[in-house]
Amino acid sequence: MNATTARILVADDDPTAQLLFRSALKIFGYEVSVAADGADALRQFRSNPFDMVVLDIDMPVLNGHQVCAALRSEADPLLPILMATGMDDIKSVEDSYREGATDFISKPMNWALIGHRVKNLLRGHKTMLDLRAAVAHNAAILQAIPDALFEIDGDGRFLNYHEPNLHLSKEPAGETRIGKTMAEVLPPAAAQVCMAALREAERFGASTGKQFELQSSTGNCWFELSVARKSTETGQQPHFVVLSRDISKRKQAEHKIQQLAFFDSLTGLPNRPSFLKRTEREIKRARRSGQQFALLFADLDGFKNINDTLGHAAGDKALQWAAERLSEAVRSNDPIAIADESGGHAEMARMGGDEFTALILNIASAQDALRVAQRIREVMRKPFVLGGLEVALSVSIGIAIYPQDGDTAATLLKNADTALYHVKQSGRDNFRLYDTVFTTFARQRLELEADLRQALERAEFSLVYQPQIDVASGRIQSVEALLRWHRPGRELMKPSEFVPVAEECGLILPIGRWVLAMACADAMQWQSEGYPVRIAVNLSATQFKDPELLPSVLEALANSGLPAERLELEFTESAVIENTAGTVSALQALRESGVQLALDDFGTGYSSLSYLKRLPLNNIKIDRSFISGLPDDVESCAIVHAILAMAGSLKMHVTAEGVETSAQAELLKNMACDQLQGYYFSKPVTAAEMTELLKRNGAAAEQAAP
Ligand code: C2E
Ligand code: MG
Ligand code: MG
């Protein structure tokens, strides 16, 4: 509105007053319209509203009060209305204000002042309009801000409050926060954060970034505060403007990123990097407090089998199961759980594959860790159903204790892993504490492996031979080749000390080929000297699985010239049982080449009769452990009887291993065992010594013949 062009309506029934108003206001540049009575004034205003209205009180049709009341009910509430009242008519002044008048001038008028009065009122009106626009503007801005905005005093008391409709911390309908403190309105933790932000703003003028969490029916929400201290009169308590932003979405995103970086997506457990960090933290804490804790390293036994036979989806399911069970065992609320006894707690992680770790904090002794390991073992044993099949998993666990087994996360983990390795080596499904001996052992093993790699080319292997006596004729019917290693600087080594290592590092294949060639050559030599004995050669599981086995057997036969039926291959049950599908056809192919097949160490493995039936075997060798019980141990006798009866029905020959006494030999002869082998007849001897044995045995047999 421009002051010079303001439009003013003057209502007065006195023509002289009309004239004087008009000229007095025109001097100030206003545009003046005149109404002669109240009804005329309303009519004119309605057809084209004015910036200000001046009303005489006594007018025909409608008096000034009535017009004032009408305008107040229909015009802009800020419209300035000036009433002209009698000088001493106090009641009329009061009535005017009651009807909504802005101001009054008293009659008789001072016409020289009236323009100033109007100008002043219009200026006030303009200020009011500006203020109203500013308030509207601010309201619109607030509406556009998605955050809650409030003002509080130094005690945290709400002075005013704005919050958008969808704000999750919105005050319940019908309740107001105004006048209440934050401590009354918010949960203690949130109120504490808000007050801390307030104190910071009090000192430094502003505070940003403080966050707090609130529970709501739709889930938890996070808020971030920006607080500004408001300038107040000196000596007055400061006020604060607080902006509270809903950052729940950002928090969710941060959480997700955190999850991806530090958690395993399959099981939801922390992953390797976060476990290592956690362990480092615990080391610092334990160092300060002088406490001990245990690091458990668990590996599922036979998991690879599940993955290979039932598929990866089943494998994943099994891992989730295992993770749940391990957590259950480690964190159990059961009163025997160490975690509850000591007031400490445990942290689980998945290291990758089927490897899991746990920290058992604040233990009193290694015994506490062993108890948790035992619990884990028991819980894991319960079978679970996978794709309709009942599957059982067992677990092997290695344990390292801080501080005795290491003072960094990496060392503790490595040592727990070493202990785990030893559990795996000694039959799995068990647990073990780390022992420094393991490290010595590991070094020795590495040396052994290194020496073994050179043993073949350095010609450090040799074969010894042990005769197998045919019960019916009393003659040496066959000879078993047994491997020896002349390791430099050491005593002669037996196969049990190095064959498992050779198996693990793949050296058993070239070594096995050497044994075959050597044994066939020696047997051929005996044959050419007139002692056509059969030669028995031991094969390990790895050799049995080798697709090159048959070709290498044929090659050894061809190179030596030994007839195939003079070669017997010995397998242990575990070697043939591991690979059921391919087993029968592999054995069949060997049989078709003409060689004989023997099952070694029978009775120590699965010994399933129905399974044996399907294998094309010639010979079953009863393990030494049963023979050593003869003739007195009733159970051993029964077992040997049973094996002989079973083999008879399957038309297989039976060899008794480890015959050490004449009583055992007598009994086995009476039981109609086919062949005997053992120290009673001869210890394993060199090839040259074997030649001598054959000469004597052959001569004895000839003498015995009719
Ligand atoms: P095995 O095939 O069961 O061989 C019999 C083992 O019992 C031999 O031990 C032999 O010395 C021992 N023995 C024989 N008679 C008696 C007896 O009356 N009393 C006692 N106490 N022991 C007796 P060795 O030579 O230490 O061989 C151990 C095992 O190593 C063999 O058991 C066989 O499984 C394996 N092995 C031997 N040579 C080879 C080989 O060339 N290749 C592979 N893969 N394994 C072999
Ligand atoms: Mg053998
Ligand atoms: Mg044996």
Side-chain angles (χ1 to χ4, degrees), residues 131-204:
L131 191 63
R132 190 169 70 180
V135 168
H137 183 69
N138 285 346
I141 288 175
L142 283 182
Q143 221 48 54
I145 295 178
D147 309 321
L149 193 67
F150 44 94
E151 190 172 342
I152 44 184
D153 66 14
D155 300 328
R157 194 173 300 282
F158 287 90
L159 301 173
N160 58 55
Y161 201 92
H162 161 83
E163 63 189 356
N165 275 339
L166 291 172
H167 207 266
L168 282 162
S169 73
K170 196 163 170 56
E171 60 190 16
E175 270 180 41
T176 177
R177 291 176 178 171
I178 310 288
K180 292 184 185 148
T181 64
M182 292 203 283
E184 289 166 334
V185 168
L186 296 171
Q192 211 175 347
V193 174
C194 294
M195 285 312 284
L198 216 65
R199 295 284 88 91
E200 195 171 279
E202 194 167 25
R203 278 188 70 195
F204 304 111

Side-chain angles (χ1 to χ4, degrees), residues 369-416:
L370 291 174
R371 285 221 301 279
V372 177
Q374 176 60 25
R375 288 178 55 79
I376 294 176
R377 196 169 157 229
E378 278 162 15
V379 170
M380 286 300 299
R381 275 217 193 115
K382 290 181 225 152
F384 57 91
V385 177
L386 251 189
L389 281 176
E390 207 171 74
V391 179
L393 270 179
S394 63
V395 64
S396 300
I397 304 169
I399 306 167
I401 310 277
Y402 171 88
Q404 71 197 46
D405 298 333
D407 57 2
T408 65
T411 325
L412 286 171
L413 200 64
K414 190 186 98 214
N415 289 344

Side-chain angles (χ1 to χ4, degrees), residues 92-136:
S92 181
V93 172
E94 284 168 359
D95 286 349
S96 297
Y97 279 125
R98 198 178 48 246
E99 300 299 352
T102 313
D103 202 357
F104 72 94
I105 38 171
S106 48
K107 285 181 169 178
M109 304 282 181
N110 179 340
W111 295 107
L113 288 184
I114 187 81
H116 288 290
R117 193 63 173 276
V118 165
K119 186 176 164 192
N120 199 35
L121 272 176
L122 281 172
R123 196 190 290 141
H125 178 228
K126 162 100 170 48
T127 310
M128 294 290 281
L129 287 178
D130 287 350
L131 191 63
R132 190 169 70 180
V135 168

Side-chain angles (χ1 to χ4, degrees), residues 590-666:
L590 286 167
R591 271 306 300 276
E592 276 160 19
S593 75
V595 299
Q596 309 277 301
L597 300 177
L599 194 64
D600 206 351
D601 303 344
F602 185 73
T604 55
Y606 296 81
S607 312
S608 148
L609 180 62
S610 59
Y611 177 70
L612 270 187
K613 265 191 206 162
R614 291 162 41 205
L615 303 182
L617 299 171
N618 307 88
N619 190 4
I620 289 178
K621 301 185 75 180
I622 307 177
D623 191 68
R624 195 170 73 220
S625 55
F626 301 108
I627 307 303
S628 66
L630 302 184
D632 302 324
D633 183 56
V634 183
E635 204 173 319
S636 296
C637 282
I639 289 171
V640 173
H641 259 300
I643 294 175
L644 283 163
M646 177 200 81
S649 73
L650 292 177
K651 307 221 166 11
M652 293 178 190
H653 279 96
V654 177
T655 303
E657 291 186 282
V659 180
E660 293 184 350
T661 65
S662 61
Q664 289 168 349
E666 263 331 289

Side-chain angles (χ1 to χ4, degrees), residues 94-308:
E94 284 168 359
D95 286 349
S96 297
Y97 279 125
R98 198 178 48 246
E99 300 299 352
T102 313
D103 202 357
F104 72 94
I105 38 171
S106 48
K107 285 181 169 178
M109 304 282 181
N110 179 340
W111 295 107
L113 288 184
I114 187 81
H116 288 290
R117 193 63 173 276
V118 165
K119 186 176 164 192
N120 199 35
L121 272 176
L122 281 172
R123 196 190 290 141
H125 178 228
K126 162 100 170 48
T127 310
M128 294 290 281
L129 287 178
D130 287 350
L131 191 63
R132 190 169 70 180
V135 168
H137 183 69
N138 285 346
I141 288 175
L142 283 182
Q143 221 48 54
I145 295 178
D147 309 321
L149 193 67
F150 44 94
E151 190 172 342
I152 44 184
D153 66 14
D155 300 328
R157 194 173 300 282
F158 287 90
L159 301 173
N160 58 55
Y161 201 92
H162 161 83
E163 63 189 356
N165 275 339
L166 291 172
H167 207 266
L168 282 162
S169 73
K170 196 163 170 56
E171 60 190 16
E175 270 180 41
T176 177
R177 291 176 178 171
I178 310 288
K180 292 184 185 148
T181 64
M182 292 203 283
E184 289 166 334
V185 168
L186 296 171
Q192 211 175 347
V193 174
C194 294
M195 285 312 284
L198 216 65
R199 295 284 88 91
E200 195 171 279
E202 194 167 25
R203 278 188 70 195
F204 304 111
S207 159
T208 52
K210 291 226 173 351
Q211 300 178 352
F212 65 92
E213 193 179 13
L214 285 185
Q215 254 120 45
S216 87
S217 53
T218 50
N220 286 10
C221 317
W222 276 92
F223 298 93
E224 190 172 84
L225 296 174
S226 295
V227 184
R229 192 179 60 207
K230 220 172 129 174
S231 55
T232 38
E233 307 291 314
T234 38
Q236 276 201 336
Q237 239 210 11
H239 285 184
F240 300 88
V241 175
V242 181
L243 190 138
S244 153
R245 170 159 299 182
D246 185 344
I247 55 162
S248 307
K249 288 218 172 70
R250 191 177 96 202
K251 278 281 177 187
Q252 276 165 15
E254 282 172 7
H255 181 70
K256 188 100 198 230
I257 290 166
Q258 174 99 350
Q259 284 290 121
L260 288 175
F262 293 112
F263 291 84
D264 164 49
S265 55
L266 181 67
T267 61
L269 289 174
N271 61 12
R272 185 187 189 95
S274 64
F275 180 77
L276 286 173
K277 269 197 191 140
R278 173 71 200 255
T279 307
E280 290 295 356
R281 274 207 306 279
E282 289 308 332
I283 287 173
K284 280 200 192 110
R285 199 172 317 198
R287 190 174 293 144
R288 276 198 305 272
S289 60
Q291 284 169 341
Q292 314 188 62
F293 69 85
L295 191 157
L296 270 58
F297 202 135
D299 186 294
L300 305 181
D301 304 325
F303 171 73
K304 194 179 165 307
N305 226 348
I306 293 186
N307 235 8
D308 290 351

Side-chain angles (χ1 to χ4, degrees), residues 466 480 483-484 494-495 538 600-601 624 657-658 660 679:
Q466 190 178 32
E480 179 172 6
L483 184 59
R484 295 292 179 265
K494 294 261 181 84
N538 292 286
D600 206 351
D601 303 344
R624 195 170 73 220
E657 291 186 282
E660 293 184 350
Y679 292 173

